[in-house]
Amino acid sequence: MTEARGSAGPNGETHDLRAPGTPCWVSLMVHGMDATQEFYGALFGWEFRPGPHQLGPYARALLDGYEVAGIGQLPPDRHLPIAWTPYLASDDVDVTAETVRLCGGTIGVGPLDAAEAGRLAIGSDPAGAVFGIWQAAAHLGTAITGVPGTPAWNELVTVESESVIKFYETVFGYETKPTGPADFDYVTLNLAGHPVAGIHGVGHALPRDRGPHWMTYFEVADTDASVTRLTDLGGHVLTPPADSPYGRVATVADPEGARFSLIQIPR
């Protein structure tokens, strides 16, 4: 993980279209939508209101009135991994989806319209990590960052970075930069010189039951207190809180098994 504040304004608010390739939204599809809303509402202070239903029942999570994430209902017959999915901005989702296919990825959903909110597709890179593509219309994406309860960073966890770097460079126009010591397989994905996401090659440490996947970090005021709260709510700790150069981090899972990280960023 590396530090990135995204396109937030002075108070953390975001109002503009994101540059293509910028993570602009995170979404979670689950089986128990009501229970999941209760969990994240208690953990992050989110409230919910209905969103577009093109992929089934869907709600947008709000923090102090600002939209920060989405939670949707999986059909009962779909037994897919429960995972937070980042959406990467695009000026033309149809062109981006075709580029994904040409570069060895796949498109599993769409492109399709989400009412007046925008147009989306869901795809995967050549290693199988799932991500979304978002062409904004009325819905620009995450409306506030830089405060507890908001997405702080998105990171691709894969076997090794080299095998997928070219894919993301070609599809989204990223500049890539190795980060950390030489024996640490971590690359930041930059746009206009600013880091917007990362790729972490973890080798055999990649969870066998998960495979390559995108990990979303959510900012919290106190990582240890949030971990305690999470376990009280029925969540699970995968990696206990530990200090990093970018803040105190823990990797956790919600009651349905969706993995994410909590980070307390020094101010």
Side-chain angles (χ1 to χ4, degrees), residues 32-215:
M33 193 164 163
D34 290 343
T36 299
Q37 289 183 32
E38 290 180 11
F39 171 83
Y40 285 101
L43 182 63
F44 292 139
W46 291 350
E47 298 177 338
F48 296 89
R49 70 180 177 201
H53 285 190
Q54 274 67 20
L55 299 179
Y58 191 81
R60 290 178 181 160
L62 286 79
L63 184 68
D64 296 329
Y66 294 99
E67 295 177 345
V68 293
I71 295 177
Q73 177 84 50
L74 278 170
D77 58 342
R78 296 295 295 275
H79 299 287
L80 301 173
I82 307 299
W84 280 101
T85 301
Y87 279 74
L88 308 175
S90 171
D91 287 340
D92 188 325
V93 70
D94 295 81
V95 170
T96 302
E98 183 59 25
T99 306
V100 166
R101 295 188 185 97
L102 292 173
C103 291
T106 60
I107 296 296
V109 176
L112 57 85
D113 290 327
E116 74 287 348
R119 189 164 172 80
L120 68 87
I122 300 174
S124 58
D125 67 25
V130 176
F131 59 90
I133 307 166
W134 182 252
Q135 180 182 340
H139 177 63
L140 299 180
T142 303
I144 186 171
T145 60
V147 296
T150 63
W153 185 248
N154 288 281
E155 181 175 284
L156 172 62
V157 183
T158 191
V159 177
E160 47 89 23
S161 62
E162 186 176 358
S163 64
V164 292
I165 283 176
K166 190 64 177 177
F167 171 84
Y168 286 98
E169 286 177 334
T170 303
V171 175
F172 294 106
Y174 297 127
E175 310 142 6
T176 55
K177 180 182 178 182
T179 302
D183 61 347
F184 185 63
D185 185 6
Y186 199 102
V187 174
T188 56
L189 302 176
N190 298 339
L191 292 171
H194 298 289
V196 297
I199 300 177
H200 189 190
V202 298
H204 296 299
L206 187 73
R208 292 185 179 182
D209 62 338
R210 185 65 51 167
H213 60 280
W214 279 88
M215 170 77 73

